[in-house]
Amino acid sequence: MSVSFFDQFMSTTYLGIPLIALALTFPTILYPTATTRWVNNRLLTLQSAFINRFVHQLLLPLNVGGHKWATLLASLMLFLISLNMLGLLPYTFTPTAQLSLNLGFAVPLWLATVIIGMRNQPNHALGHLLPEGTPNLLIPMLIIIETISLFIRPLALGVRLTANLTAGHLLIQLISTAAFVLLPLMPTVAILTATVLVLLTLLEVAVAMIQAYVFVLLLTLYLQENI
């Protein structure tokens, strides 16, 4: 039975039931629940410090009106990081490697920022479609181009996250397969390949965190344009 390299991105099933819902709920178990005690343990203190630092950095480009989004954006950031990191473990499934899931995150949030801009300040929101000082001959073309760029934003968010995770997982599988095949034939080359695999895995850990941060940061910038 031949196995494709892309089989790892298929949604796992058990008795015909997709397990992607279980994979999506599993990250919530990893984080400890905050208590009412004045003094928490080291894990809760570290978690709170990380969340506070991230929220502070996230809200820097936003004015006061966008601070109400802090809980949603911080939760999304932690959720994406958890899914991306869990997908690097052996024999696991990465839900964020599915374009449909990423678009399910990107489209509603992007649409919410657009609706907020059109409701609160429609003139300013529509003003983004036409830069100031545009020659009259270029006005129709620029409006079409800016409208296309506006509607392509959620697609770019989803494709960016999917492509980076998919490419990283494929590289890890290709290099690990090469190291396994070369071990009985050329042990020295296999050891060098395994070293490259370890370095690539560390790089993928960084990519998993950075891509989640970029996803939320771009949503923050889109929100800033409309508030």
Side-chain angles (χ1 to χ4, degrees):
M1 178 179 178
S2 60
V3 178
S4 172
F5 284 128
F6 291 92
D7 287 345
Q8 59 177 317
F9 303 112
M10 296 175 60
S11 178
T12 54
T13 58
Y14 181 73
L15 298 178
I17 302 174
L19 299 182
I20 188 171
L22 180 62
L24 291 176
T25 56
F26 186 73
T28 58
I29 308 174
L30 301 179
Y31 293 97
T33 305
T35 62
T36 57
R37 298 177 181 177
W38 287 7
V39 180
N40 294 319
N41 54 32
R42 293 182 178 88
L43 183 58
L44 278 174
T45 304
L46 183 63
Q47 174 182 305
S48 301
F50 170 76
I51 294 176
N52 291 335
R53 183 62 179 173
F54 165 70
V55 172
H56 175 72
Q57 293 292 330
L58 191 65
L59 298 182
L60 283 179
L62 292 177
N63 53 30
V64 180
H67 289 184
K68 63 183 69 174
W69 286 62
T71 303
L72 174 62
L73 295 177
S75 302
L76 179 62
M77 168 75 173
L78 292 175
F79 186 64
L80 291 178
I81 286 181
S82 302
L83 290 178
N84 295 347
M85 297 290 288
L86 289 174
L88 294 174
L89 297 175
Y91 303 105
T92 55
F93 170 66
T94 310
T96 46
Q98 306 291 321
L99 181 60
S100 57
L101 178 68
N102 295 332
L103 290 179
F105 287 139
V107 172
L109 294 174
W110 165 82
L111 187 60
T113 61
V114 174
I115 292 175
I116 288 175
M118 296 298 294
R119 184 190 64 180
N120 296 339
Q121 41 187 5
N123 293 333
H124 181 71
L126 293 175
H128 289 295
L129 301 179
L130 185 63
E132 187 177 356
T134 304
N136 294 332
L137 293 177
L138 297 179
I139 287 178
M141 184 182 301
L142 278 180
I143 291 178
I144 295 175
I145 293 174
E146 292 296 330
T147 304
I148 294 175
S149 66
L150 175 65
F151 282 97
I152 209 172
R153 283 180 174 180
L155 181 62
L157 282 176
V159 170
R160 180 186 294 107
L161 182 59
T162 303
N164 281 280
L165 294 179
T166 302
H169 284 67
L170 284 177
L171 281 175
I172 289 178
Q173 185 169 2
L174 287 171
I175 295 178
S176 60
T177 303
F180 180 77
V181 172
L182 291 174
L183 185 59
L185 303 176
M186 293 178 287
T188 304
V189 179
I191 293 174
L192 293 177
T193 307
T195 304
V196 174
L197 177 62
V198 172
L199 297 177
L200 180 62
T201 304
L202 296 177
L203 178 63
E204 281 303 307
V205 172
V207 169
M209 294 185 290
I210 291 173
Q211 288 304 316
Y213 176 73
V214 169
F215 188 93
V216 179
L217 179 62
L218 289 176
L219 284 175
T220 305
L221 298 179
Y222 298 158
L223 179 63
Q224 176 59 28
E225 291 182 358
N226 293 283
I227 58 174

